[in-house]
Amino acid sequence: MSFTELRRHRAIAWDFDDTLIGHRSSPLLHAFIRSHRHIRHVIVTFRSHGMQHGVWHDLAAYAAAPEPACFDAILNIPDETYEAFERIFRWREAGLYVGPMTEAERSYLGWKGAVCAQHGLTILIDDNTAHVRLGCDKHEIALFHPDQFV
């Protein structure tokens, strides 16, 4: 995957943790965002409970990071959606629940794809494809892992 595919989109959703920060391709993604200001860039994150407010501080740790003005918005998952998923996720890890996918799981796993569709974002770059594929497939959002840019 090259950056050619990204250039075809007018609005791109960017995961934050382990994509825009904490990934070996983060500096390449930063350079793309800075050099393609005509594209609408939006951060779409699972950060919640106030952690989303630390995005600019964490991004600033990179010398050549895109400044906040490069982004149209930060969209973060509602606290309640995150909490409901975390609860069932922990129950599954502990073997306390082994049943079919719950509504809380469907809501969480579908959230990024749904929010992308609602905001006209046609592509999502995200390291955690297992937690976003359901929603991206449902809403026909192109999905790429940051490894594909290295």
Side-chain angles (χ1 to χ4, degrees):
M1 164 78 185
S2 70
F3 286 95
T4 303
E5 175 65 22
L6 290 184
R7 288 185 195 96
R8 294 183 182 133
H9 294 266
R10 300 177 112 181
I12 301 173
W14 299 93
D15 172 52
F16 192 70
D17 294 291
D18 299 320
T19 299
L20 285 181
I21 66 166
H23 194 277
R24 65 182 183 220
S25 67
S26 296
L28 299 172
L29 302 177
H30 297 169
F32 177 85
I33 292 166
R34 283 191 332 273
S35 65
H36 292 83
R37 303 278 300 256
H38 63 282
I39 295 174
R40 197 167 132 245
H41 301 283
V42 176
I43 295 171
V44 179
T45 181
F46 283 138
R47 284 189 177 200
S48 63
H49 296 84
M51 290 179 56
Q52 67 274 16
H53 302 300
V55 163
W56 303 129
H57 175 268
D58 295 346
L59 192 59
Y62 292 80
E67 61 273 4
C70 290
F71 296 93
D72 190 51
I74 299 174
L75 305 172
N76 70 287
I77 195 163
D79 293 350
E80 303 78 25
T81 305
Y82 181 85
E83 290 169 10
F85 176 79
E86 274 297 304
R87 191 171 23 260
I88 192 69
F89 183 76
R90 292 189 195 288
W91 290 350
R92 283 193 187 276
E93 279 187 320
L96 299 173
Y97 183 78
V98 293
M101 187 181 294
T102 66
E103 182 55 37
E105 290 168 309
R106 274 190 292 283
S107 180
Y108 179 89
L109 298 173
W111 181 78
K112 283 194 181 184
V115 82
C116 285
Q118 290 167 3
H119 291 270
L121 307 166
T122 55
I123 185 170
L124 170 64
I125 314 306
D126 199 305
D127 69 296
N128 196 351
T129 56
H131 281 188
V132 300
R133 185 169 308 284
L134 181 73
C136 288
D137 288 350
K138 179 178 180 180
H139 296 281
E140 299 180 348
I141 305 300
L143 174 61
F144 291 96
H145 192 285
D147 283 348
Q148 293 175 265
F149 298 94
V150 180

